[in-house]
Amino acid sequence: MLVWNSERFTPGTAQLVALWPGATDPVRITNDDRVNWFPHVSPDGEHLLYLSYEPGVQGHPADHRVELRRLPGVLVRGARIMPVPETLVVLDGGQGTVNVPPWSPDSRWFAYCDYPVGRDSV
């Protein structure tokens, strides 16, 4: 299965879409007013982790308030439903928070970056 973000279904607002093996048409897997980027399927296929920007954000910039969200495995196993995402954490981030594969090989944990905006670094 391939998963990526696209404006195909909602011009101006990126949503996540998937293409299952043997299919010819991508299927939208998020459907909200937020801007959803950087989908990462866990190695065991049970979870989909992604970054969600506030409505109206263009592209995938750094230094924004974002939500790190997870979709349940029912999505990843090929069900064509739109499950409700779980917001795991709200943080200062954006570009660089989860733009590389973040999952551990056993799918038990993942890594992400929270970088405080406008505060002194330690």
Side-chain angles (χ1 to χ4, degrees):
M1 172 183 61
L2 298 173
V3 181
W4 69 96
N5 53 274
S6 173
E7 293 184 8
R8 174 181 180 162
F9 297 102
T10 53
T13 300
Q15 297 295 313
L16 303 183
V17 297
L19 184 65
W20 279 270
T24 57
D25 292 319
V27 176
R28 181 173 50 191
I29 55 177
T30 58
N31 185 22
D32 57 28
D33 62 347
R34 297 186 63 85
V35 180
N36 300 307
W37 280 83
F38 299 117
H40 296 281
V41 177
S42 61
D44 65 5
E46 291 293 319
H47 305 283
L48 178 68
L49 184 70
Y50 67 97
L51 196 63
S52 185
Y53 286 90
E54 296 174 342
V57 170
Q58 295 294 306
H60 55 280
D63 303 331
H64 278 269
R65 200 72 174 155
V66 296
E67 294 181 5
L68 192 57
R69 291 180 159 187
R70 180 177 57 190
L71 287 173
V74 67
L75 159 79
V76 183
R77 290 191 176 164
R80 293 178 181 235
I81 62 170
M82 292 191 193
V84 176
E86 173 187 9
T87 298
L88 303 174
V89 64
V90 178
L91 53 106
D92 293 329
Q95 174 66 28
T97 297
V98 290
N99 64 336
V100 297
W103 288 99
S104 66
D106 64 4
S107 301
R108 294 181 66 189
W109 58 268
F110 57 84
Y112 65 93
C113 295
D114 177 7
Y115 42 95
V117 176
R119 292 181 253 163
D120 293 333
S121 302
V122 178

